[in-house]
Amino acid sequence: RQLNAKLNERLDVPENKMCAHRWDEMNPEKFPSMFMKKTAKALLNEKVKKSPSGSYEEEYGNRHPENEQRVGLRKRMRTMFCDPSRVNAKQIFPHEIAYNSTKATSTANKEMQQALWDSKCLDTLEELKVTREKIAAEIEMAGGADMSAAVRKALASGNFIGCADVSASMTWVDKPPNQPLNIAMGLTCFLSEIASPAFRDIALSFTTEPRMFSFKGSGGRKMNVSERMGEISKYSGGSTNYEGLHDAVIDICKAHQVKDDDIPVIVVFTDGNFDTMDSSMNGYSYYSRNTNSLPATEV
């Protein structure tokens, strides 16, 4: 026990300091992401079922506003949220953050979810940079021009658009935040953040009527994660129209005269219950309309 206690102290395990009420010794930048996710209310000094209200509670929290140590930790965390590069989000899936952002009610919790989201985007962009360089090198060495090479080339350049299947079947299994619908919407929003600049802040969804979304608010302001999720969820439900999705994208590419080299990959997040909508698919998950169509991959 003594050795374990010394090891935990050396590793700066935050659960130990929380149990010992040593709030003033806790450094938010060293918090594991799962710890922060599970104990957010306590760390932010907020009651579990009631969000802070009024300027006093917003500043001090509404759980133990008289406790200087807990108030101090709340303030340190909110300061950290202003710089997502200081936030650890490595152990949390993007769709979990996206879903939690739609359920956050307090100002501090909303700030936390956005900071986790931005941190996840920064980490992934850094990882993608390495992956894209590797893919680009492999394509150059292979010199291939098949569909696989075209898709890999688009991924290497970041020319992709996320697409969420938001039909009714996406809610038939599991529970939030891990229903297919939650995962599809969250990952579609995530791809809209990490795509190349030409395809950033746009996304697709398909139900009976496919839609394209622009995640730019008034004055060109970039929507936050909660707003992106809300935008997609406005049009959920109904049946699937996978072929119509490609028709819509083809029309957009033609209208904007998109060059062949800039045609994006459509990354579809779906439960796959759409095959009967298009007899040409013949039971296969890969779909190609014609030589002028967009390549599509199903994830």
Side-chain angles (χ1 to χ4, degrees):
R1 287 199 303 271
Q2 290 178 344
L3 287 175
N4 281 335
K6 291 179 180 179
L7 179 61
N8 289 336
E9 190 69 22
R10 184 68 175 178
L11 294 175
D12 198 18
V13 177
E15 287 87 347
N16 287 358
K17 292 184 177 179
M18 174 181 280
C19 291
H21 301 287
R22 294 158 58 188
W23 307 94
D24 59 328
E25 298 178 25
M26 299 177 73
N27 182 358
E29 295 185 34
K30 295 184 178 181
F31 290 166
S33 54
M34 290 302 295
F35 167 76
M36 191 159 58
K37 172 188 172 183
K38 292 178 179 179
T39 60
K41 287 289 186 178
L43 297 174
L44 292 172
N45 198 26
E46 296 182 356
K47 293 181 179 179
V48 174
K49 296 184 179 180
K50 184 180 179 182
S51 298
S53 61
S55 58
Y56 179 82
E57 289 188 351
E58 283 288 354
E59 183 175 357
Y60 296 95
N62 63 351
R63 194 165 184 163
H64 296 286
E66 77 292 341
N67 188 318
E68 293 183 1
Q69 289 192 20
R70 300 192 69 158
V71 172
L73 177 58
R74 173 182 172 85
K75 292 182 177 180
R76 291 197 300 277
M77 289 192 67
R78 296 189 71 182
T79 298
M80 179 183 69
F81 296 156
C82 296
D83 182 0
S85 65
R86 297 163 57 191
V87 180
N88 180 4
K90 294 185 182 299
Q91 295 175 305
I92 310 178
F93 291 119
H95 76 271
E96 293 177 317
I97 303 172
Y99 178 82
N100 290 338
S101 73
T102 67
K103 300 301 179 182
T105 55
S106 75
T107 302
N109 199 3
K110 291 177 182 178
E111 293 171 350
M112 175 178 169
Q113 300 307 324
Q114 186 62 45
L116 286 168
W117 179 260
D118 290 338
S119 174
K120 196 72 176 179
C121 291
L122 290 173
D123 289 343
T124 305
L125 282 170
E126 190 62 32
E127 293 172 1
L128 277 177
K129 181 180 178 181
V130 177
T131 302
R132 288 170 180 168
E133 290 174 353
K134 181 179 178 181
I135 291 176
E138 290 175 352
I139 293 173
E140 185 177 351
M141 288 180 63
D146 59 6
M147 183 58 70
S148 175
V151 172
R152 287 164 62 79
K153 183 177 179 181
L155 291 173
S157 64
N159 292 345
F160 50 72
I161 303 176
C163 176
D165 177 354
V166 291
S167 60
S169 67
M170 297 288 280
T171 62
W172 291 352
V173 297
D174 221 319
K175 297 180 180 180
N178 293 314
Q179 285 185 326
L181 180 65
N182 311 136
I183 297 171
M185 290 172 56
L187 292 181
T188 295
C189 290
F190 190 64
L191 289 192
S192 73
E193 294 266 23
I194 63 174
S196 64
F199 298 99
R200 195 164 295 172
D201 298 321
I202 60 175
L204 298 162
S205 75
F206 69 94
T207 56
T208 306
E209 180 183 352
R211 293 182 179 273
M212 175 170 276
F213 302 92
S214 173
F215 294 133
K216 291 290 184 67
S218 57
R221 180 187 64 85
K222 192 173 84 166
M223 290 185 181
N224 60 36
V225 57
S226 179
E227 292 171 329
R228 291 172 192 245
M229 291 287 284
E231 195 69 15
I232 295 180
S233 65
K234 290 178 183 178
Y235 307 101
S236 61
S239 60
T240 54
N241 186 357
Y242 187 65
E243 184 176 6
L245 160 68
H246 288 268
D247 288 336
V249 176
I250 290 168
D251 290 342
I252 291 170
C253 287
K254 287 182 177 179
H256 292 83
Q257 299 181 333
V258 177
K259 298 179 180 179
D260 289 346
D261 290 342
D262 294 328
I263 291 178
V265 166
I266 305 174
V267 184
V268 182
F269 300 99
T270 176
D271 60 356
N273 289 324
F274 57 80
D275 291 16
T276 56
M277 295 293 295
D278 181 11
S279 59
S280 69
M281 295 179 68
N282 296 321
Y284 294 99
S285 60
Y286 180 82
Y287 172 74
S288 180
R289 179 177 171 81
N290 54 47
T291 55
N292 295 320
S293 69
L294 300 175
T297 56
E298 176 193 341
V299 176

